[in-house]
Amino acid sequence: MSDAPARSHGRKSISAAVGPRELMPAQETLAGVWCAQVITLFPEAFPGVLGLSLTGRGLKEGLWQLRTVDLRRHGEGRHRNVDDTPAGGGAGMVLRADVLGRAIEEARATAPAGRPLIAPSPRGTPFTQARARALAEGPGVTLICGRFEGVDQRALDHYGVEEVSIGDFVLTGGEIAAMALIDATVRLIPRVLGNQASVEEESFSHGLLEHPQYTRPTVWQGREIPEILLSGHHARITEWRQAEAERLTRKRRPDLWRAWREAHRRNPEDDREL
C-alpha cells in the first residue's frame, strides 16, 4: 500500500530496492528531507520501532525518510554468500569487502554529498547527544549493520567508514544499534516530537542528566511529589530541578560531572554542597 506524505517536502525520485512496504512503499526519496539509509542483511527488520509513535508519524508525514539496502542481494555465487572465514584463522565469519563494497556503492548512488557513512561497533567512538544533534543538522546518514565476527577492515578503510559505539557491550548484529542511533537523531529533527521544548530540557542537552519527573497522583504508595513542585513558584522550581540534575550527574556519571564543572568553571569545593 502506498500513503502519500501529508506534507510536501520536495520532488520525489523512485529507486528499486527491497524493504518494508508499509512505511517505505517504493523506497521513495524526498529531495531535501533527512534520510537514514541502512545496509543490512535483514531489511525486513526496518522500520521496526522507528515506525511507531512520534518517529513513525514523522516518517509517514515525510519529516524524515528511511531506505534499506539489502546486503544479501550483493552476495557472491548461487547462494549469495556475504561472508567467509577470517584470514589467519579463528572463530566466526567475516563480512566480505567486495560484497559490502557493492552495497555501499548502491547506497552512495542515491545519497547526497556530505552524508556520513557509519558502522555501529563496540570498538567505535562513543555515540553522544552532541553527535546525534550534528547528524540531525546534516542531510542524513548511511549505516552499515555488521553481522558475524565483523567486517573486512579493507572495506572500512577504503570508504572511510566511521565506527561508533552505543555502549561497552556486544550485540549479535548492528540492526538494534542502528535503530537506536536513528531514533536518537530523528527525534531532534524539527516537528518530529511536536514539543521541541522537551528536547531542550532532557538529559545531556546541557551536559547534565535530567532531573526527576513526577505527575499525578500526588501521593502514591506513601510517596509524595516534592512540595516545591506543587508550589507554583517557577523560579524556585527551576532552581530545584537544576540542583537535582547536578546531584544526579555527580552521583551517577562522574565523567559528565567533571566535564560540566570544567566547562562552567565550577569550584571543586561546590561538590560538598551536593
Side-chain angles (χ1 to χ4, degrees):
M1 108 182 176
S2 178
D3 295 326
R7 297 180 177 87
S8 175
H9 294 274
R11 299 182 61 185
K12 298 179 181 178
S13 62
I14 308 298
S15 58
V18 177
R21 299 305 182 202
E22 291 78 6
L23 292 174
M24 299 181 291
Q27 293 280 294
E28 297 174 346
T29 298
L30 300 173
V33 176
W34 194 94
C35 179
Q37 284 185 309
V38 184
I39 299 173
T40 174
L41 279 168
F42 301 102
E44 65 274 15
F46 293 85
V49 296
L50 297 172
L52 304 176
S53 190
L54 298 178
T55 55
R57 186 179 67 183
L59 185 58
K60 289 180 179 178
E61 293 181 353
L63 300 179
W64 69 285
Q65 53 192 323
L66 176 65
R67 298 186 70 255
T68 56
V69 176
D70 187 353
L71 187 60
R72 182 68 67 183
R73 293 194 297 108
H74 297 281
E76 286 287 313
R78 177 181 177 183
H79 298 291
R80 299 290 187 183
N81 293 327
V82 300
D83 59 347
D84 211 326
T85 56
M93 304 291 280
V94 177
L95 284 178
R96 294 173 54 128
D98 53 352
V99 173
L100 182 55
R102 289 193 287 269
I104 291 175
E105 291 296 338
E106 177 187 332
R108 291 176 67 178
T110 59
R115 182 182 295 177
L117 185 58
I118 293 177
S121 167
R123 71 180 189 184
T125 57
F127 186 72
T128 64
Q129 187 74 6
R131 186 72 176 101
R133 190 172 296 280
L135 287 176
E137 293 173 353
V141 64
T142 298
L143 295 162
I144 299 171
C145 296
R147 280 274 156 180
F148 316 118
E149 195 63 27
V151 176
D152 191 310
Q153 185 65 40
R154 293 172 295 178
L156 301 179
D157 293 342
H158 180 76
Y159 290 100
V161 177
E162 175 189 358
E163 295 181 88
V164 300
S165 170
I166 64 167
D168 295 337
F169 52 88
V170 180
L171 300 171
T172 55
E175 285 76 17
I176 293 175
M179 288 185 187
L181 189 151
I182 294 171
D183 184 271
T185 303
V186 165
R187 62 192 305 279
L188 299 176
I189 295 174
R191 304 208 312 276
V192 168
L193 289 191
N195 181 8
Q196 207 63 19
S198 63
V199 173
E200 299 301 324
E201 298 173 359
E202 60 197 12
S203 290
F204 309 113
S205 293
H206 300 287
L208 296 172
L209 299 182
E210 188 178 17
H211 55 78
Q213 297 281 10
Y214 300 87
T215 188
R216 288 188 291 266
T218 304
V219 181
W220 177 80
Q221 299 285 14
R223 299 174 182 268
E224 299 182 2
I225 294 176
E227 184 178 353
I228 182 64
L229 299 180
L230 305 176
S231 69
H233 197 301
H234 298 298
R236 291 178 59 197
I237 290 173
T238 298
E239 292 175 358
W240 180 88
R241 287 174 170 170
Q242 177 67 20
E244 284 295 294
E246 293 180 21
R247 180 184 65 81
L248 287 175
T249 304
R250 177 175 176 265
K251 179 180 179 181
R252 300 179 182 180
R253 290 293 301 273
D255 56 328
L256 290 179
W257 174 246
R258 285 192 297 270
W260 183 86
R261 192 177 60 190
E262 292 173 2
H264 290 77
R265 299 180 180 179
R266 286 281 294 267
N267 189 326
E269 294 297 318
D270 292 344
D271 285 2
R272 297 178 182 178
E273 300 176 8
L274 302 177

